[in-house]
Amino acid sequence: MPRIPPETPLDTARLWLEFPDPDTWGDDGPGQVVRADLTWLTSSWRCVFGGGCAGIYADRPDDGCCTLGAHFAEKADRKRVRAAMRRLGPDQWQFHGTGHAEGWTERDPDGARKTRVVDGACIFLNRPGWPAGSGCALHQLAVREGTDPLHTKPDVCWQLPVRRTYRTVQRPDGSSYLEVTVAEYDRRGWGPGGHDLDWYCSGNAVAHTGAEPVFRTLRAELVELVGAAAYEVLAGHCEKVLTAQRSGALARHPATVAGEAGSRVSSSTTTAAMAAAGGGRAGEEEQR
């Protein structure tokens, strides 16, 4: 059986969609145009933190992508996180005392504000063995409060691995419009240092094992990024793409293909082991 590559190439065939944003396009002139990577949004990616994630640095496998701390997109982003931080109790946040006594933010070498790094990782990352459970304390807060993590976590954290970018497009007739792109936050989204990460999930078969495609599992995040009306248009096209992919008419994300192949290999290995241990006809039926 050929070895499944741990990470697929950054540049592969992609299906892109462009459509006018229903909330901004009207008789008054050009509005926004949404540009979306349908190959990514119909992929089977899911977060595998604590279940296959190797961490972006090999010497800190339990950090996931939280080693460096999170930069804030704007003042409102920091204000929202500060409000969530104040709702965390000492039994919920491992570094509660440190955060309140010494501060939970810091500035990077360029002067930009970010979450503080304590003991080698983000101050909000509860480490393995913490009674409340390892992982982001802000994410856990959202789960306890019955809301989406986008209401408690820094923008860059809840958006990852979806990346939203903007550009102004000039037409030959002199008119222009704002293009909002929603795509995969691959290694390059981290800047030049992204190529030096020891492990990354968006193109990794280990993380492409979700039961539902990204546009469904990250619905709340996508609505926040493009708006409810644009999301409905986007989801409708994604559903059509799924149908075409099932028929073989369109290519799928290569990591999703590799992830499914890996699942089949794992399933076959498990079935063979069951049969050897006395699984009998149940094992034989499963192999059929």
Side-chain angles (χ1 to χ4, degrees):
M1 182 66 65
R3 179 176 178 272
I4 300 172
E7 196 165 341
T8 55
L10 290 172
D11 294 306
T12 59
R14 299 273 169 154
L15 178 66
W16 290 87
L17 168 72
E18 290 186 3
F19 63 92
D21 183 342
D23 284 332
T24 66
W25 205 277
D27 297 333
D28 296 333
Q32 293 182 171
V33 169
V34 177
R35 179 173 178 264
D37 179 356
L38 300 189
T39 303
W40 167 246
L41 295 176
T42 57
S43 75
S44 297
W45 177 90
R46 66 183 180 95
C47 179
V48 290
F49 179 81
C53 176
I56 57 176
Y57 294 119
D59 60 343
R60 298 194 63 91
D62 298 318
D63 290 355
C65 54
C66 304
T67 304
L68 303 174
H71 284 80
F72 296 106
E74 55 187 358
K75 185 176 180 179
D77 183 17
R78 187 170 73 250
K79 182 178 179 180
R80 185 188 66 257
V81 175
R82 182 173 65 242
M85 178 271 294
R86 290 172 174 169
R87 300 198 300 276
L88 287 169
D91 59 329
Q92 302 164 341
W93 180 21
Q94 184 174 359
F95 297 98
H96 181 277
T98 302
H100 283 276
E102 303 177 24
W104 59 281
T105 67
E106 63 184 6
R107 293 191 182 276
D108 70 7
D110 296 323
R113 184 72 70 177
K114 59 185 286 292
T115 61
R116 187 178 175 188
V117 170
V118 176
D119 293 344
C122 178
I123 192 171
F124 289 109
L125 180 66
N126 292 334
R127 310 306 200 259
W130 180 247
S134 63
C136 176
L138 295 170
H139 189 108
Q140 294 169 353
L141 175 66
V143 173
R144 284 193 300 273
E145 294 182 340
T147 188
D148 291 306
L150 64 90
H151 297 301
T152 60
K153 298 172 68 173
D155 283 347
V156 67
C157 298
W158 65 257
Q159 291 177 20
L160 197 73
V162 174
R163 187 164 186 251
R164 178 181 61 182
T165 56
Y166 299 91
R167 71 165 179 156
T168 299
V169 178
Q170 301 287 340
R171 291 195 181 96
D173 63 0
S175 63
S176 64
Y177 62 88
L178 180 65
E179 179 185 84
V180 182
T181 296
V182 177
E184 177 180 340
Y185 201 119
D186 62 23
R187 285 176 170 269
R188 292 170 291 199
W190 292 74
H195 296 284
D196 299 325
L197 301 179
D198 294 321
W199 189 91
Y200 192 60
C201 67
S202 76
N204 198 299
V206 171
H208 280 253
T209 54
E212 295 287 348
V214 167
F215 78 91
R216 293 178 187 160
T217 59
L218 298 185
R219 181 186 186 282
E221 289 82 357
L222 291 168
V223 168
E224 186 71 15
L225 290 172
V226 301
Y231 173 80
E232 291 304 322
V233 175
L234 179 60
H237 285 284
C238 284
E239 294 288 358
K240 295 176 183 177
V241 170
L242 287 179
T243 299
Q245 289 175 342
R246 294 188 192 102
S247 69
L250 288 176
R252 297 183 297 164
H253 194 291
T256 292
V257 175
E260 290 183 356
S263 296
R264 288 195 293 271
V265 171
S266 177
S267 177
S268 297
T269 301
T270 301
T271 300
M274 289 174 59
R281 183 160 303 279
E284 295 175 5
E285 292 295 331
E286 187 175 343
Q287 291 187 63
R288 294 196 185 101

